[in-house]
């Protein structure tokens, strides 16, 4: 081929390329607009979810303040129990092994089995009762009757819970009254 033919072919290909450039730019602009619209939708959904979560948290906090119950959180990975609210615990944080030392010896096995059901993911919420010693080491035990309502907290992508949040209700007065009534009933029956 001659040089003139090569120049002609080259100019022909360049003219085709320049003809498609505006269409390619239009396509890129359309794709960018679609991406921006989708990004806006995602941001709006995330914002709505955050607002909803904050509202739920505020409602739960108000309910806890009204009920005046103790709230603890068991961090499964760290093995620690932290007091979020209330006065049942004298320290803000304690190891799980220390927590179990305060349980009545007859209640330890049942309480630990219930907690393991939550940790293993067999249940997502439980309600159980146990006796809790509030006296210091070396003192005569003073037992409170505690009802524990626990729920597990999961992180997206994990099949096992990361923490257990528990609301502790002191039912000592109610339980003592029941025991007195049972004693009176047995005495006069």
């Amino acid at each position: 081929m001659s040089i003139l033919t090569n120049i002609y072919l080259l100019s022909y290909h360049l003219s085709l390329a320049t003809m498609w450039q505006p269409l390619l730019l239009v396509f890129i602009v359309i794709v960018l607009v679609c991406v921006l619209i989708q990004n806006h939708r995602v941001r709006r959904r995330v914002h709505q979810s955050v607002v909803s979560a904050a509202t739920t948290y505020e409602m739960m906090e108000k309910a806890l303040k009204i009920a005046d119950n103790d709230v603890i959180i068991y961090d499964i990975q760290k093995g620690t129990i932290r007091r979020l609210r209330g006065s049942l615990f004298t320290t803000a944080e304690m190891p799980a092994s220390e927590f179990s030392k305060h349980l009545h010896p007859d209640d330890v096995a049942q309480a630990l089995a219930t907690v393991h059901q939550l940790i293993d993911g067999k249940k997502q919420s439980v309600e159980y009762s146990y006796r809790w010693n509030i006296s210091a080491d070396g003192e005569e035990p003073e037992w409170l009757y505690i009802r524990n309502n626990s729920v597990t907290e999961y992180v997206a992508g994990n099949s096992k819970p990361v923490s257990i949040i528990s609301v502790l209700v002191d039912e000592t007065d109610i339980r003592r009254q029941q025991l007195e009534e049972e004693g009176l009933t047995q005495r006069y029956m």
Side-chain angles (χ1 to χ4, degrees):
M1 281 198 208
S2 72
I3 294 179
L4 288 174
T5 309
N6 285 338
I7 292 174
Y8 173 76
L9 288 174
L10 181 61
S11 66
Y12 176 73
H13 287 294
L14 287 175
S15 68
L16 284 178
T18 57
M19 182 177 77
W20 289 103
Q21 282 179 350
L23 291 175
L24 183 62
L25 286 174
V26 168
F27 177 73
I28 290 172
V29 168
I30 290 172
V31 168
L32 285 175
V33 167
C34 290
V35 168
L36 289 173
I37 290 171
Q38 188 64 22
N39 187 14
H40 177 71
R41 288 180 182 165
V42 168
R43 279 190 291 151
R44 187 176 60 217
R45 286 183 188 153
V46 168
H47 177 72
Q48 289 171 345
S49 296
V50 168
V51 168
S52 175
T55 303
T56 302
Y57 175 79
E58 288 173 13
M59 288 182 351
M60 289 174 58
E61 185 68 26
K62 286 178 184 176
L64 290 172
K65 285 179 182 175
I66 290 169
D68 197 32
N69 295 324
D70 288 57
V71 180
I72 59 173
I73 184 166
Y74 172 40
D75 186 327
I76 296 170
Q77 281 123 4
K78 289 182 182 176
T80 58
I81 297 172
R82 188 171 33 115
R83 178 185 67 214
L84 296 179
R85 169 172 188 72
S87 59
L88 185 61
F89 300 121
T90 55
T91 60
E93 187 171 294
M94 72 172 68
S97 58
E98 180 69 26
F99 180 86
S100 62
K101 289 179 184 176
H102 289 275
L103 294 173
H104 190 282
D106 295 342
D107 299 336
V108 172
Q110 182 257 339
L112 292 178
T114 304
V115 169
H116 282 290
Q117 288 179 335
L118 292 168
I119 292 171
D120 295 338
K122 294 178 182 171
K123 292 188 176 183
Q124 292 186 349
S125 65
V126 293
E127 181 177 330
Y128 60 104
S129 297
Y130 50 81
R131 289 165 284 182
W132 176 263
N133 183 10
I134 60 168
S135 61
D137 288 338
E139 293 181 2
E140 184 71 27
E142 183 181 346
W143 299 106
L144 298 180
Y145 291 87
I146 304 296
R147 183 170 38 91
N148 183 319
N149 297 296
S150 296
V151 295
T152 52
E153 178 183 23
Y154 287 83
V155 173
N158 288 349
S159 61
K160 299 282 185 175
V162 294
S163 63
I164 299 171
I165 302 169
S166 301
V167 176
L168 309 176
V169 180
D170 183 358
E171 294 185 333
T172 304
D173 293 337
I174 296 169
R175 184 69 177 139
R176 285 182 181 156
Q177 184 178 359
Q178 288 174 343
L179 291 172
E180 286 177 20
E181 290 172 1
E182 288 173 9
L184 289 173
T185 302
Q186 290 177 359
R187 183 184 302 164
Y188 295 109
M189 289 290 218

